[in-house]
């Protein structure tokens, strides 16, 4: 009977150990699964945060720049600089317009002066030609009066103004003018003589 009891006891003990081992392994597997799930959840959350952080990193400089630009002091300085630039541009344009106007006025003045100089030159030539023509006419008349007889020329000189008659007689030959003066009335001859003497009074004498 003793050998039978000894055989039963060894068979029961291994069964308990196997069940304990299985229970321990199941608990470890369950804990490992929970850790794995927790790690996956954390990993996914980290990725989402990384994407969110990356997107925010691109937007951060713009928001910072906007915040800086939107500050009252910076905006006021920017407006002042823009206003000064506008004023400088207007002044520069005004100076340019004035310079162009002055240049145009100077050009017109130069053209006007040139035209006046040309007109004066033409007038001087005309006056010279008229003087020369008048001198020629006077010389021709002097020759005519000299060729006339004194009695025929005397009435013509009597009808002239004394200074005009004195001018012709001064150009005539002395003998011809003396003959005409002798044919004139004494009062007319005296008036012409006074004018002729007055013309020669200021002449230099040697």
């Amino acid at each position: 009977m003793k050998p039978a009891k000894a055989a039963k006891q060894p068979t029961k003990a291994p069964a308990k150990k196997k069940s304990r081992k299985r229970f321990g392994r199941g608990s470890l597997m369950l804990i490992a699964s929970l850790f794995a799930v927790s790690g996956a959840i954390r990993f996914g959350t980290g990725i989402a945060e990384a994407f969110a952080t990356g997107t925010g990193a691109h937007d951060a400089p713009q928001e910072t720049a906007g915040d800086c630009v939107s500050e009252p002091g910076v905006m006021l300085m920017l407006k002042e600089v823009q206003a000064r630039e506008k004023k400088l541009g207007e002044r520069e344009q005004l100076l340019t317009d004035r310079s162009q106007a002055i240049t145009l006025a100077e050009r017109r003045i130069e053209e006007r002066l040139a035209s006046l100089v040309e007109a004066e030159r033409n007038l001087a030539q005309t006056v010279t030609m008229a003087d020369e023509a008048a001198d020629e006419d006077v010389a021709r008349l002097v020759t005519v009066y000299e060729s006339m007889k004194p009695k025929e020329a005397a009435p013509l000189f009597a009808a002239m103004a004394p200074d005009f008659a004195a001018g012709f007689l001064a150009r005539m030959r002395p003998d011809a003018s003396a003959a005409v003066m002798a044919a004139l009335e004494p009062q007319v001859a005296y008036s012409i003589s006074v004018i002729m003497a007055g013309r020669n009074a200021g002449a230099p004498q040697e």
Side-chain angles (χ1 to χ4, degrees), residues 140-153:
R140 190 177 296 108
L141 286 174
V142 169
T143 302
V144 171
Y145 292 149
E146 286 177 348
S147 62
M148 292 176 65
K149 294 180 179 180
K151 291 182 179 180
E152 295 176 353

Side-chain angles (χ1 to χ4, degrees), residues 157-173:
F157 281 92
M160 297 178 187
D163 56 347
F164 193 71
F168 277 109
L169 291 171
R171 285 171 171 261
M172 293 173 64
R173 297 192 311 272

Side-chain angles (χ1 to χ4, degrees), residues 8 19 23 26 34 36 42 47 68 74 88 111 120 153 157-158 166 173 204:
K8 288 181 182 180
S19 62
F23 178 77
L34 291 174
R42 291 181 179 179
I47 293 175
C68 292
V74 176
L88 288 175
E111 292 176 356
E120 185 178 2
F157 281 92
R173 297 192 311 272

Side-chain angles (χ1 to χ4, degrees), residues 1 22 47 59 63 71 82 96 105 107 112 119 131 137 141 164-165 183 193:
M1 293 299 291
R22 290 177 182 176
I47 293 175
D59 297 337
E63 293 178 356
E71 292 181 1
Q82 291 176 350
T96 302
R107 188 180 304 169
R112 184 62 178 172
D131 291 341
D137 293 338
L141 286 174
F164 193 71
S193 299

Side-chain angles (χ1 to χ4, degrees), residues 17-40:
K17 289 182 180 179
K18 288 181 179 180
S19 62
R20 288 178 181 177
K21 289 181 179 179
R22 290 177 182 176
F23 178 77
R25 289 179 181 177
S27 298
L28 290 174
M29 291 295 294
L30 179 60
I31 294 171
S33 300
L34 291 174
F35 276 114
V37 172
S38 177

Side-chain angles (χ1 to χ4, degrees), residues 17-204:
K17 289 182 180 179
K18 288 181 179 180
S19 62
R20 288 178 181 177
K21 289 181 179 179
R22 290 177 182 176
F23 178 77
R25 289 179 181 177
S27 298
L28 290 174
M29 291 295 294
L30 179 60
I31 294 171
S33 300
L34 291 174
F35 276 114
V37 172
S38 177
I41 293 172
R42 291 181 179 179
F43 182 72
T45 305
I47 293 175
E49 290 180 355
F51 277 111
T53 305
T55 306
H58 290 291
D59 297 337
Q62 297 179 357
E63 293 178 356
T64 304
D67 294 339
C68 292
V69 173
S70 61
E71 292 181 1
V74 176
M75 292 300 294
L76 182 60
M77 291 177 62
L78 180 61
K79 288 182 180 179
E80 290 180 355
V81 170
Q82 291 176 350
R84 290 181 181 179
E85 288 181 354
K86 185 177 180 181
K87 288 182 180 180
L88 288 175
E90 292 176 353
R91 289 180 180 178
E92 184 178 0
Q93 184 63 35
L94 181 61
L95 291 175
T96 302
D97 294 340
R98 287 182 178 178
S99 178
Q100 292 178 355
I102 292 173
T103 302
L104 182 60
E106 290 178 351
R107 188 180 304 169
R108 289 181 178 177
I109 291 172
E110 290 177 357
E111 292 176 356
R112 184 62 178 172
L113 288 174
S115 62
L116 288 175
V117 170
E118 184 66 19
E120 185 178 2
R121 186 182 297 111
N122 294 332
L123 180 61
Q125 292 178 355
T126 302
V127 171
T128 301
M129 292 175 62
D131 291 341
E132 291 177 355
D135 290 339
E136 291 178 358
D137 293 338
V138 171
R140 190 177 296 108
L141 286 174
V142 169
T143 302
V144 171
Y145 292 149
E146 286 177 348
S147 62
M148 292 176 65
K149 294 180 179 180
K151 291 182 179 180
E152 295 176 353
L156 296 176
F157 281 92
M160 297 178 187
D163 56 347
F164 193 71
F168 277 109
L169 291 171
R171 285 171 171 261
M172 293 173 64
R173 297 192 311 272
D175 57 339
S177 62
V180 172
M181 292 285 288
L184 291 173
E185 294 182 359
Q187 186 176 359
V188 176
Y190 175 77
S191 298
I192 294 174
S193 299
V194 171
I195 293 173
M196 293 177 67
R199 289 180 178 177
N200 296 326

